[in-house]
Amino acid sequence: MSDEPLPEHVARNRTAWDSFAPKYAVLGRESWSANEITWGIYSVPEAEVGMLPESVEGLDVVELGCGTAYVSSWLARRGARPVGIDNSPAQLETARRFQQEFGVDFPLHLGNAEQTPFPDASFDLAISEYGASIWCDPYAWIPEAARILRPGGLLTFLVNGTILMLCAPDEEDAPAEDRLLRDYFGMHRFEWPDDESVEFHLGYGDMIRLLRRSGFEVEDMVEVHPAPDATTSYPFAPVEWARRWPAEEVWKARRRA
Ligand SMILES: C[S@@+](CC[C@H](N)C(=O)[O-])C[C@H]1O[C@@H](n2cnc3c(N)ncnc32)[C@H](O)[C@@H]1O
C-alpha cells in the first residue's frame, strides 16, 4: 500500500465506516446467507435490474468498496474469481470472518478504490453496490475502474437516485420529501451535518460525460422500482417515495476496446 496520506474525504470515510461496521455486520450476515441475488435497499431481484452478465463463470471481478463482501461471495459461488477492495479495516475484518464462517475464500485488499494496486486491464467486470459508487470521488474512481478493466469489460454500479439526493433533508434518516431541497446544477460532493462521512452524487449529464471521457460506452441506466411488497430498513428512502420516483439507479457501462 502507498505511504501517501489519504485524501481528506477518504480518511473521513475510513473513520466513519469503521464506526458503522458493527451495524453492517448484521446486514452482511443476512446477505452472505442469501441464495438469491438481490440489490439495494429494497432487495430488488437480479432478474429485474440485470446488474450482472448472464454468466459470471470464469470472470475476473473486482468489487470496489466491497464492505462485508457479500456481493463477491455470491459471485465466487457462481464460478467467478472476485477480488474485493475496501477502505475500512473494520469492514474487511467482518468480511474475513464471514469468509471463514461460510467457507468462501477470495482476496481482500485494504485500500482506496480511487487508486487501486491492481495492474492495468486485470478484470472483466468491476462492480460496486453503494461502495466506491457513492463514497469515492467519481472523477477519480471511474477513470481508475477504466484502467483496471480489460477492453470490452463491464462496469456496473448501484447508487442513490439523483432525484432522491435532491429531495433528501440534511437530518440523518429524515425521509425524502416530495419537493426539491437542493440544486441539481453543481451536484458532486455531499456532506451531512450528523456524521463524518462524505458522499458523491452527480447529475445525469455529468455522469454520462465522465463515463464516456473515461473510455466507457453507457449501455443502460435502470431506475429501480421496488416490488409491491418491498420493505426497507433505510428510513431516508421510504418505499412509498420510491414507488413514485427513482430512489436507486443501476448504471452499466462497457470499456471501449
Ligand atoms: C455500503 S458499503 C458497500 C458494501 C455493500 N455492498 C453494502 O451495501 O453494504 C460501503 C463501503 O464502501 C467503502 N468505502 C468508502 N470509501 C471507500 C474508498 N475510498 N475506497 C474503497 N472503499 C471505500 C466503505 O468502507 C464501506 O465498506
Side-chain angles (χ1 to χ4, degrees):
M1 238 180 25
S2 144
D3 289 336
E4 281 175 38
L6 293 173
E8 175 255 6
H9 64 279
V10 178
R12 281 174 57 175
N13 284 340
R14 178 169 290 182
T15 305
W17 273 98
D18 279 347
S19 75
F20 303 154
K23 173 179 160 197
Y24 279 79
V26 178
L27 299 167
R29 172 171 279 103
E30 283 170 23
S31 300
W32 267 81
S33 309
N35 289 320
E36 197 197 354
I37 297 184
T38 62
W39 301 107
I41 62 179
Y42 311 105
S43 302
V44 175
E46 162 61 12
E48 277 182 39
V49 289
M51 284 269 287
L52 300 174
E54 230 157 75
S55 167
V56 295
E57 176 91 42
L59 296 186
D60 291 311
V61 182
V62 62
E63 186 181 1
L64 299 166
C66 62
T68 60
Y70 56 82
V71 171
S72 289
S73 82
W74 293 336
L75 299 177
R77 282 179 262 192
R78 286 162 178 78
R81 290 186 292 269
V83 173
I85 182 165
D86 200 278
N87 178 41
S88 157
Q91 285 277 85
L92 289 176
E93 208 178 292
T94 309
R96 291 202 178 91
R97 217 171 49 237
F98 288 152
Q99 285 190 326
Q100 296 231 313
E101 188 178 324
F102 290 86
V104 180
D105 197 32
F106 46 84
L108 290 168
H109 295 262
L110 174 63
N112 175 10
E114 298 171 356
Q115 208 180 348
T116 72
F118 310 119
D120 293 357
S122 303
F123 300 101
D124 306 299
L125 173 65
I127 189 161
S128 180
E129 183 205 33
Y130 289 122
S133 54
I134 68 164
W135 301 98
C136 288
D137 188 331
Y139 292 99
W141 84 266
I142 288 179
E144 178 65 357
R147 184 186 70 76
I148 61 178
L149 272 172
R150 296 182 179 127
L154 183 68
L155 169 65
T156 177
F157 57 96
L158 189 141
V159 295
N160 301 113
T162 302
I163 303 174
L164 178 69
M165 299 322 296
L166 298 180
C167 295
D170 275 346
E171 297 73 36
E172 196 177 358
D173 287 343
E177 298 193 8
D178 60 359
R179 67 195 177 93
L180 303 174
L181 300 176
R182 57 189 90 239
D183 293 349
Y184 177 85
F185 291 113
M187 279 180 81
H188 178 220
R189 179 178 163 125
F190 282 60
E191 291 180 48
W192 309 100
D194 297 334
D195 76 52
E196 180 81 3
S197 65
V198 182
E199 294 172 30
F200 296 89
H201 304 276
L202 292 187
Y204 296 111
D206 285 344
M207 178 60 89
I208 290 168
R209 278 186 295 276
L210 170 59
L211 285 164
R212 290 185 56 77
R213 209 167 55 227
S214 305
F216 290 103
E217 289 302 331
V218 177
E219 289 197 340
D220 206 350
M221 194 282 274
V222 180
E223 293 105 337
V224 172
H225 198 219
D229 59 347
T231 57
T232 184
S233 51
Y234 293 88
F236 73 96
V239 179
E240 304 70 46
W241 194 100
R243 290 223 177 81
R244 300 183 65 195
W245 302 284
E248 299 187 296
E249 296 164 4
V250 172
W251 287 79
K252 296 181 227 179
R254 183 80 54 186
R255 180 80 173 89
R256 275 195 288 271

